[in-house]
Amino acid sequence: MTTLSKLPAPLLAWYGAGHRSLPWRQEVSPYRTWVSEIMLQQTRVAAVIPYFERFMAALPTVEALAAVDEPTLLSLWQGLGYYNRARNLRLAAKKIVGFHGGQFPHTYEEIRMLPGVGDYTAGAIASIAFSLPTPAVDGNVLRVVARLTDCHDNVLAPATRRRVTEELAAVIPHDHPGDFNQALMELGATVCLPNTEPKCAECPCRGFCQGFAHGTAASLPVREKKEGRRKEEKTVFILRSGEYEAVRYRGEEGLLASLWEYPNVAGTLTESEAAAQLTAWNVTPHKWVKKAKSKHIFTHIQWIMKGVYLEVSEAAGDFHWFTAEEINTQAALPTAFRQFWDLEETQHV
Ligand code: SF4
């Protein structure tokens, strides 16, 4: 008997005895499972819950999602980050309505073909919403399996992920595949924790866990170092004229496409360079309010940002001038810029 073949019974018993009550688990449908899994990509459960509930209230069906306009869609996603997830949701909804007659596809292969759906998400939807015995292997599951089997292979290598997927496919219970996948995710999220000591004393798998038996669990999984992110410096201008702030549209292409931003330029400008930039924009400041520093991390890039807060005499320049309320409803301002609302003044930027 392999270590993983011992997993289903105690794991399902533990999950059945009590697990987190999450809105997408209370009422299961392919649509709700799909939207929740897309939101949960790269995002913590606690952060997703209010977004999920708001999204479902506004767009309760796949037809409603297919028909929504992009500004409304992005405003529902505002603050959640990785906005291509929202765009792919809508693209996929159009495909489901136009190509599948509004019926959510119900084979792993068809689900995997939807925009924005990868192996993990397809496995999760197929197992949770359609009871198909498909593993759902993400970083959490790779960590738990590496510890359970005391495996020191690099979990970032595609070959390791393929092998773990095959091993789980051989043991996933065909009568409860969705519960099995969710139980494994739950174990990784609440007991076999990342970046810290796992809570082995509370774990239903402790009796056969090889990482626990050999004292190696906390050092697993092995992850080869990723290449560092490219750093880009920016100076961001928060220009206020009365209750209005200057924003501009970022355009249809590239990073944060179709979103809005505060006016900004590459590099960390000195005060005189910033003044020259304002002149170039035909903007006349009458008060330099404060400066602040911030950073924002994307998948491959890190922005190091200096924020310059100014009051200007008139709403001039080639910008849109919106109130805070109008920014909230008409201009999806991503977190990279929105965070400047909350920053304290710093002297050394
Ligand atoms: Fe993780 Fe510890 Fe459970 Fe093993 S016994 S699966 S290391 S929590």
Side-chain angles (χ1 to χ4, degrees):
M1 202 173 190
T2 65
T3 298
L4 289 184
S5 66
K6 297 174 187 165
L7 179 60
L11 184 65
L12 286 172
W14 170 80
Y15 186 68
H19 50 75
R20 292 175 297 175
S21 172
L22 303 173
W24 46 91
R25 286 179 180 164
Q26 286 156 11
E27 180 194 335
V28 175
S29 73
Y31 179 63
R32 290 169 63 85
T33 302
W34 169 49
V35 171
S36 68
E37 287 297 339
I38 298 295
M39 285 187 170
L40 287 164
Q41 291 170 0
Q42 325 257 12
T43 311
R44 291 177 303 108
V45 166
V48 163
I49 289 173
Y51 281 93
F52 177 80
E53 290 179 331
R54 200 162 56 119
F55 196 96
M56 283 297 143
L59 305 172
T61 63
V62 72
E63 287 81 7
L65 173 55
V68 73
D69 60 79
E70 183 156 313
T72 304
L73 175 71
L74 293 179
S75 69
L76 287 168
W77 208 268
Q78 190 167 287
L80 206 50
Y82 300 99
Y83 289 83
N84 271 341
R85 294 184 296 175
R87 294 192 190 93
N88 280 330
L89 270 178
R90 190 170 64 133
L91 273 179
K94 286 179 186 289
K95 184 174 176 183
I96 292 168
V97 170
F99 188 70
H100 296 285
Q103 294 297 309
F104 207 96
H106 56 274
T107 66
Y108 173 88
E109 290 73 21
E110 285 176 313
I111 297 169
R112 178 70 179 78
M113 295 288 285
L114 295 173
V117 172
D119 293 343
Y120 165 81
T121 306
I125 297 169
S127 62
I128 296 167
F130 297 105
S131 295
L132 296 174
T134 50
V137 179
D138 69 350
N140 268 315
V141 170
L142 287 168
R143 176 181 68 259
V144 175
V145 170
R147 289 173 175 172
L148 279 169
T149 56
D150 194 17
C151 178
H152 295 244
D153 293 348
N154 174 22
V155 292
L156 299 181
T160 307
R161 184 179 290 257
R162 274 197 300 277
R163 179 181 54 70
V164 169
T165 303
E166 285 169 13
E167 289 174 359
L168 287 173
V171 303
I172 189 169
H174 286 219
D175 49 350
H176 294 292
D179 283 350
F180 177 80
N181 282 337
Q182 289 185 96
L184 210 42
M185 296 172 204
E186 185 90 354
L187 192 75
T190 62
V191 177
C192 197
L193 301 168
N195 309 320
T196 185
E197 287 284 333
K199 299 179 182 175
C200 300
E202 301 172 21
C203 183
C205 309
R206 191 173 51 155
F208 55 91
C209 176
Q210 299 303 303
F212 175 72
H214 299 147
T216 54
S219 65
L220 292 170
V222 173
R223 300 164 63 90
E224 76 177 8
K225 280 205 166 35
K226 282 184 177 177
E227 278 183 25
R229 293 186 176 87
R230 186 173 83 243
K231 290 188 176 166
E232 291 181 358
E233 294 187 6
K234 286 185 180 297
T235 301
V236 178
F237 292 80
I238 299 90
L239 306 174
R240 293 201 172 115
S241 174
E243 61 178 325
Y244 296 97
E245 291 189 345
V247 289
R248 64 186 182 189
Y249 185 61
R250 284 183 61 82
E252 307 288 336
E253 306 281 333
L255 192 65
L256 301 178
S258 306
L259 301 177
W260 292 67
E261 65 180 4
Y262 287 129
N264 63 86
V265 294
T268 302
L269 304 190
T270 63
E271 199 157 313
S272 59
E273 289 169 337
Q277 181 60 59
L278 291 167
T279 304
W281 281 333
N282 280 329
V283 169
T284 309
H286 68 74
K287 185 176 176 191
W288 292 70
V289 179
K290 68 173 185 178
K291 54 201 174 188
K293 61 181 176 180
S294 180
K295 63 183 177 184
H296 193 77
I297 294 172
F298 300 94
T299 310
H300 304 298
I301 302 172
Q302 181 176 8
W303 283 357
I304 314 290
M305 293 182 284
K306 171 181 179 176
V308 184
Y309 297 69
L310 299 140
E311 286 177 13
V312 302
S313 37
E314 69 176 310
D318 196 14
F319 306 120
H320 295 263
W321 292 85
F322 285 161
T323 63
E325 173 65 22
E326 286 169 334
I327 290 175
N328 271 330
T329 55
Q330 298 174 34
L333 193 67
T335 305
F337 295 100
R338 177 169 291 273
Q339 62 187 326
F340 282 99
W341 280 356
D342 302 321
L343 294 180
E344 297 297 323
E345 179 170 11
T346 50
Q347 296 303 320
H348 306 288
V349 290

